[in-house]
Amino acid sequence: MVFEYIAVKSVDEALAAMRKYGDEGKIYSGGVALSILMKSGVYEPEAIIDISGVEALSGVEEGPSGGVRIGAGTPHRDIETSPLIEQKFPLLTEVFRNVATVRIRNTGTIGGNIIFAEPASDPPAALLVLEANMKAKKVDGRERTIPASEFWTDYYGTALVEDELLTEVEIDPLPGGLRTAYTRFTTRSKEDKPCISISVAVAPEEDGKTCGEARIGLGGVEAVFRRFTAAEDALKGVELAPAAIDAALSGTLDDLEPLSDIRASGDYRRQVTPVFIRRTILKAIS
């Protein structure tokens, strides 16, 4: 495979290269996802646009609202070990600690992970629960914000278009009272990608016993990452106890469209997803 390699040092240079090559140019940062697609013959790009040297696309810093801004080119390991992330969003610390291996976490980036949109992935479900916003810049200089709830659109598909560069992920502070937790389940080995990845944020009522608000992010369960809104609605006002949670979730299973793949059948996922949701909720409030 022959392609032109372009190393850029700024967002403007990256956008200029994208404008020049169009569909035949592919963005490269950590290269974990792109290398897989190229080796499998899915992509045979005319040009590789390397953005790993663009400082503006990397790093974790406090956002204007008091949350965090994460550059799209930030390696997983930098997010995992960031004191700011651990202070403000410990859910992300735990999630990114479980992405692949340390070697891959040192190379792969948050932008590459969420754009690849592979169902067997952990970060997207957490970003849904945290109601993150993805910032993108078009080759003509225009910018737009894409809420996490609108970002993943299809099997391996996102709302980004060919002339857009993902620049950052921004997360506002969580409302007071929300407690977060995450659970992943693998069917083959501990090091495997998740069969199911559940992230939740739960706010008990003042009595501490009933659910005032619940956010549930599904990863690995279906072909497309999403919030499990049917379960969120069913849990409101429900006692945060195992039997009550199970009863509430049992009426929402028809809303699931579970995926069948090498890790599990759709029927299996339908059966165990509510179990892991309940465990993650109890973990959040413990």
Side-chain angles (χ1 to χ4, degrees):
M1 183 185 303
V2 178
F3 54 83
E4 186 173 354
Y5 172 78
I6 302 102
V8 298
K9 296 297 183 182
S10 70
V11 171
D12 287 342
E13 287 183 14
L15 294 173
M18 291 171 63
R19 187 183 306 113
K20 176 180 178 180
Y21 290 98
D23 293 352
E24 296 303 317
K26 295 301 177 186
I27 295 293
Y28 171 98
S29 185
V32 174
L34 181 60
S35 63
I36 293 172
L37 296 175
M38 291 175 67
K39 288 177 181 177
S40 62
V42 175
Y43 287 156
E44 293 185 0
E46 180 181 326
I48 296 294
I49 305 166
D50 185 352
I51 61 171
S52 61
V54 181
E55 291 185 6
L57 293 178
S58 185
V60 177
E61 61 185 26
E62 187 165 2
S65 65
V68 297
R69 171 206 167 272
I70 307 172
T74 306
H76 304 310
R77 181 69 170 164
D78 288 2
I79 300 170
E80 172 195 352
T81 59
S82 165
L84 184 65
I85 293 290
E86 186 170 19
Q87 174 194 348
K88 293 181 177 292
F89 302 107
L91 173 65
L92 291 182
T93 301
E94 184 178 5
V95 166
F96 279 91
R97 185 179 295 130
N98 283 281
V99 172
T101 64
V102 171
R103 181 180 65 81
I104 291 176
R105 293 201 296 276
N106 278 322
T107 304
T109 65
I110 184 174
N113 178 281
I114 65 178
I115 292 172
F116 191 35
E118 181 184 20
S121 180
D122 294 292
L127 295 175
L128 282 164
V129 161
L130 297 175
E131 298 187 345
N133 287 302
M134 320 308 184
K135 303 293 185 69
K137 195 167 186 178
K138 290 180 174 289
V139 296
D140 62 9
R142 288 181 295 162
E143 297 180 289
R144 71 168 174 145
T145 298
I146 309 168
S149 60
E150 301 173 12
F151 189 78
W152 295 280
T153 59
D154 204 347
Y155 190 54
Y156 287 92
T158 74
L160 286 176
V161 294
E162 289 291 343
D163 68 342
E164 284 184 316
L165 175 68
L166 181 69
T167 56
E168 65 182 68
V169 176
E170 190 171 84
I171 309 172
D172 291 332
L174 283 172
L178 278 174
R179 308 174 190 177
T180 58
Y182 146 81
T183 302
R184 77 192 315 258
F185 174 61
T186 60
T187 52
R188 301 192 299 180
S189 72
K190 183 180 179 181
E191 292 76 26
D192 191 22
K193 294 178 180 180
C195 167
I196 293 173
S197 179
I198 305 293
S199 288
V200 306
V202 183
E205 295 283 12
E206 291 184 3
D207 62 8
K209 298 179 180 180
T210 55
C211 178
E213 180 184 356
R215 301 178 185 177
I216 302 169
L218 300 180
V221 178
E222 300 177 325
V224 182
F225 304 103
R226 69 174 175 108
R227 289 267 295 274
F228 193 11
T229 54
E232 293 175 357
D233 293 340
L235 286 166
K236 289 180 181 177
V238 169
E239 183 185 4
L240 291 170
I245 293 171
D246 286 343
L249 294 175
S250 66
T252 67
L253 298 186
D254 288 343
D255 192 56
L256 288 174
E257 296 181 7
L259 183 69
S260 290
D261 59 15
I262 60 173
R263 293 180 175 86
S265 68
D267 287 342
Y268 180 80
R269 282 187 167 95
R270 188 184 302 278
Q271 292 179 44
V272 300
T273 293
V275 175
F276 283 98
I277 291 174
R278 183 240 298 155
R279 290 180 182 176
T280 313
I281 289 172
L282 295 176
K283 179 180 176 182
I285 63 173
S286 65

